Structures are given as structure tokens and as C-alpha cells.
Amino acid sequence: MRRAVLLVLAAAMALMVPGCAAPGTSQEPQIVVTTNILGDVTREVLGDQATVTTLMQPDADPHSFEISAQEAALLGSADLVVSNGLGLEEGLQQHLDRASAAGAPMLVAGDVVDVVPYGSGEAAGAPDPHFWTDPAAMIDVVNALEAAARAIDGIDTGKLAASAAAYRDRLTKLDADMAAAFAALPRERRALVTNHHVFGYLAKRYDFRVIGAVIPGGTTLAAPSAADLRHLSQAINTAAVPTIFAESSQPDRLVQVLASEAGVNVQVRELFTESLTRPGGGAPTYLEMMRANTGRIVQGLAP
């Protein structure tokens, strides 16, 4: 009798401890995702079939966010680790390398898209990691995510196929809607200036020119020189750019300074480019982020 009571207590305690399961029970697959944009997409594709842990908090900067020791430990024990790659997660790479060495299955999204190199600035020629500004690239990511998830024990592949197909349809519609919205802009108005180089993929897909960026590199961790700002001001004047776009996760002080330096009546508009927001913040999902940005770009560049 006493032994039976002890067994029941042990089982109850196992259920109460995070990460533990009682004998004879099973847990959902554990997916760990680095950025919140990819975290949102992963949840859409996996649905309720897995526990998805996103390391990057809303409104954070993917170039500089850090994780705790507990979060780092999650990487090594995950059924699948999804990362952006292409040098985006600059402060996280050592943890990703350690998880890979420990045998965690890895999906690096940058490995499955057609990479666009930076066209100018200090990073010219290097791979651009901001592929999510092109919804068609995200369809490639969904395809790879579906394939990787099929290999995870406990995943219903029929449900997975249905949820992945449904999300691909939503991405296809997003792509078509963005193309139609941007087509309404005269070609000479399709010129982008941002606080750092983030729209190369969008520019290639929808026929925009990237005039330049306040921060000349591909990372928010760089800093512009006075000469950089002067050259960009000249380019803005030459191209008659009406609006400069600042990122929601970064202060726009430098962009405001540049607008003043340009010597013309240049607007500054905020975009959601590198991070989703909390609910109510304007871009809580990838699809909402892209639709919000499309509307703001069109408003900022329309004659």
C-alpha cells in the first residue's frame, strides 16, 4: 500500500516539474526559434502540434538580443532549432553552434532561400539576411519547415500538410497584394532610404531602387560617419526622395538628423522591419507587419 502511494506521488510530482513527464506519458515536440518573425511563421505551420519557444522578444533587435543560460540550454534539447542565419543573429551564433554540436536538428532559413547580396555600403557583396521582406522567400522557408517537421516524432503529417498549405496560400495572397499596391507607384517614386540596409529583397521583387541607408552596413550595430551622412544627403536630393523610413525597433534620431541635413522637406515614417510587436503594437504577426509596411511605404512615396 505504502509503495503504491509513493508511486502515485512520484507521478504527480513529475507532472508538476517543467520539462518532465510521468511514466507512460508523452510530451509535444519542442521547437526553439531564434527570431520572432520566424517564430510566428513556425507556429502557423506547426499549429497546435508542437510547443514553439521564441527566443527573441517583441520589439527587439535581432542583431543584438541576448538569451539566458536557461534559454541556451533549450537549444541543445530541442526537437528542432529554427534560425535565420546569414549572420543575422550576431550575438547568438555560439549557442547555435553548441546546439548543433550537441546533435539538435537545425533548420537555417537562410540556407533555403535565394540569397540577395547587399548592393552598397560597407557590406556590399555580403549575403543579406533580411529575406523576410520578400513573401516569396518566406514560402521557401515554409516548404523547408514542413519538410523538417515531418521528421519529428509525434507530428501528424496530414495536419502539417494542411496547415503549411493554408499558410502558403496566405503568403501568396500577400505577395499579390503587395505587388498591386506598389505597382500603383510611379517608377521614379520607388526609391527607398532606411536607417540601415534591410529592403534588398523587397526592392528586387517589386522593382524598387535602394538609394542608401543612414547606417551604411547591414547591421544596426554599425555607425555612420559624417561623410556617410553627407553622401547620402546628396543622393536623397538627387533622387528627390520624399520619405525616409526608420525602423520601429530603433531610435530614429539619426534619421531625423539626416532629414535635416538633406536640406529638403523629407518626411520620416516608421516601419516594422526586423521585429514583430506585442499585440496592439501594429505588427503582432508577420502578415500584419508586411501589410502595415506596404501601406506606409505607398503613403510615404505616393505623389
Side-chain angles (χ1 to χ4, degrees):
M1 178 66 178
R2 186 168 179 272
R3 177 179 171 80
V5 171
L6 290 173
L7 287 173
V8 170
L9 287 174
M13 290 178 66
L15 289 172
M16 294 172 64
V17 178
C20 294
T25 65
S26 60
Q27 287 183 299
E28 287 185 332
Q30 304 293 308
I31 315 296
V32 180
V33 189
T34 57
T35 71
N36 54 45
I37 292 173
L38 289 175
D40 176 60
V41 173
T42 300
R43 287 190 181 91
E44 291 287 346
V45 174
L46 272 295
D48 60 358
Q49 294 205 72
T51 298
V52 178
T53 300
T54 300
L55 300 179
M56 177 182 160
Q57 296 302 306
D59 300 306
D61 182 345
H63 296 278
S64 60
F65 80 100
E66 298 178 350
I67 61 174
S68 67
Q70 184 178 10
E71 289 171 324
L74 283 177
L75 290 166
S77 61
D79 294 293
L80 179 66
V81 175
V82 182
S83 64
N84 190 95
L86 302 177
L88 184 79
E89 300 102 333
E90 297 172 65
L92 204 62
Q93 194 57 52
Q94 60 176 328
H95 300 298
L96 293 170
D97 291 343
R98 193 174 298 121
S100 178
M106 312 291 287
L107 171 58
V108 181
D111 290 348
V112 304
V113 302
D114 291 330
V115 176
V116 173
Y118 287 114
S120 62
E122 294 178 1
D128 184 345
H130 306 94
F131 54 78
W132 60 84
T133 62
D134 177 1
M138 293 301 269
I139 292 177
D140 293 334
V141 175
V142 169
N143 293 340
L145 182 57
E146 180 185 3
R150 284 180 177 275
I152 300 174
D153 289 342
I155 294 293
D156 182 326
T157 56
K159 288 179 64 176
L160 173 66
S163 59
Y167 195 64
R168 272 192 294 268
D169 288 344
R170 297 173 72 185
L171 289 172
T172 299
K173 186 176 189 310
L174 171 65
D175 182 32
D177 290 346
M178 289 176 64
F182 292 143
L185 289 173
R187 181 178 294 273
E188 66 274 11
R189 303 285 287 197
R190 294 182 215 161
L192 292 171
V193 177
T194 56
N195 69 320
H196 90 281
H197 288 288
V198 71
F199 281 114
Y201 290 82
L202 181 145
K204 181 178 180 181
R205 182 151 190 87
Y206 302 111
D207 194 23
F208 277 78
R209 290 173 295 141
V210 177
I211 299 299
V214 178
I215 299 173
T219 170
T220 56
L221 303 182
S225 66
D228 291 329
L229 293 177
R230 184 169 58 253
H231 293 154
L232 184 54
S233 296
Q234 294 168 353
I236 289 171
N237 279 307
T238 300
V241 173
T243 301
I244 300 172
F245 297 102
E247 295 163 72
S248 62
S249 64
Q250 294 291 319
D252 67 350
R253 182 181 61 82
L254 280 176
V255 178
Q256 296 285 1
V257 169
L258 177 61
S260 174
E261 285 281 333
V264 294
N265 185 24
V266 179
Q267 300 181 64
V268 176
R269 285 180 178 262
E270 188 178 87
L271 296 181
F272 307 104
T273 56
E274 298 217 276
S275 177
L276 302 184
T277 66
R278 300 183 188 280
T285 71
Y286 170 71
L287 296 176
E288 289 174 282
M289 178 186 80
M290 295 301 292
R291 291 189 181 281
N293 286 344
T294 299
R296 293 182 185 195
I297 290 172
V298 171
Q299 291 168 9
L301 299 181

